[in-house]
């Protein structure tokens, strides 16, 4: 099982809980990554995508299906970015293009779109991606004078 949980989300499609575990922030240990919990059995299915595979310590998480999700990653340089992951294959995709490496306080999926709240100091806003293709479709959309910190859809 993982340690130091950062975020979790329930997936209605799989009826499972997905947890991002930052572990010890050392990707060489076995404590960080994406873990699946079966709430009916009250049992962990273990870490299915390791933090080493993700490229750093996972933070916020969003899940689009039983096998595909996204997480924010903080790498060893404390840069933050978003990567897709596949829980069936235990793999991670490339960093999504178009985000800064500043703090990303939340990611959220709704109706086939991933919403990324980017707190870039020069151009903060909400960036939208199509989950089917991981392609950016808009953004960063300005949220006014202050950078976004939370979103509810």
């Amino acid at each position: 099982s993982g340690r130091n949980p950062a975020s979790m989300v329930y997936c209605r499609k799989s009826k499972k809980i997905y947890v991002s575990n930052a572990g010890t922030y050392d990707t060489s240990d076995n404590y960080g990554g994406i873990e699946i919990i079966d709430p009916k059995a009250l049992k962990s299915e273990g870490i299915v995508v390791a933090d080493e595979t993700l490229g750093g310590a996972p933070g916020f998480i969003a899940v689009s299906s039983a096998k595909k999700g996204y997480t924010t990653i903080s790498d060893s340089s404390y840069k933050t970015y978003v990567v897709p992951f596949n829980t069936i294959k235990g793999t991670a995709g490339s960093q999504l293009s178009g985000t800064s490496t500043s703090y990303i306080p939340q990611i959220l999926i709704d109706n086939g779109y991933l919403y990324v709240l980017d707190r870039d100091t020069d151009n903060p806003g909400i960036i939208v991606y199509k989950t089917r293709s991981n392609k950016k479709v808009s953004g960063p959309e300005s949220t006014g004078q202050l950078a976004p910190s939370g979103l509810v859809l």
Side-chain angles (χ1 to χ4, degrees), residues 26-138:
D26 176 358
T27 58
S28 66
D29 66 23
N30 295 320
Y31 303 120
I34 306 301
E35 181 176 11
I36 297 178
I37 307 291
D38 180 343
K40 191 171 185 176
L42 299 176
K43 185 175 178 182
S44 171
E45 295 180 4
I47 292 178
V48 294
V49 185
D51 55 0
E52 185 175 32
T53 301
L54 293 165
F60 296 96
I61 188 171
V63 176
S64 60
S65 70
K67 68 178 183 178
K68 186 175 183 179
Y70 298 85
T71 187
T72 58
I73 294 296
S74 178
D75 68 13
S76 59
S77 302
Y78 301 104
K79 293 180 180 174
T80 304
Y81 49 93
V82 179
V83 296
F85 60 84
N86 183 309
T87 61
I88 305 300
K89 296 179 181 177
T91 58
S94 299
Q95 170 186 346
L96 296 184
S97 64
T99 63
S100 71
T101 56
S102 297
Y103 180 59
I104 298 173
Q106 184 182 15
I107 58 176
L108 184 68
I109 293 176
D110 185 55
N111 206 25
Y113 293 94
L114 172 70
Y115 296 84
V116 177
L117 280 62
D118 192 338
R119 296 195 79 178
D120 181 64
T121 54
D122 296 324
N123 193 20
I126 300 171
I127 304 171
V128 183
Y129 295 86
K130 185 79 173 148
T131 58
R132 194 173 288 253
S133 64
N134 296 334
K135 299 292 183 198
K136 183 172 128 176
V137 294
S138 72

Side-chain angles (χ1 to χ4, degrees), residues 15-34:
K15 296 182 174 46
K16 304 284 174 87
I17 299 169
Y18 295 74
V19 181
S20 66
N21 293 292
T24 61
Y25 296 95
D26 176 358
T27 58
S28 66
D29 66 23
N30 295 320
Y31 303 120
I34 306 301

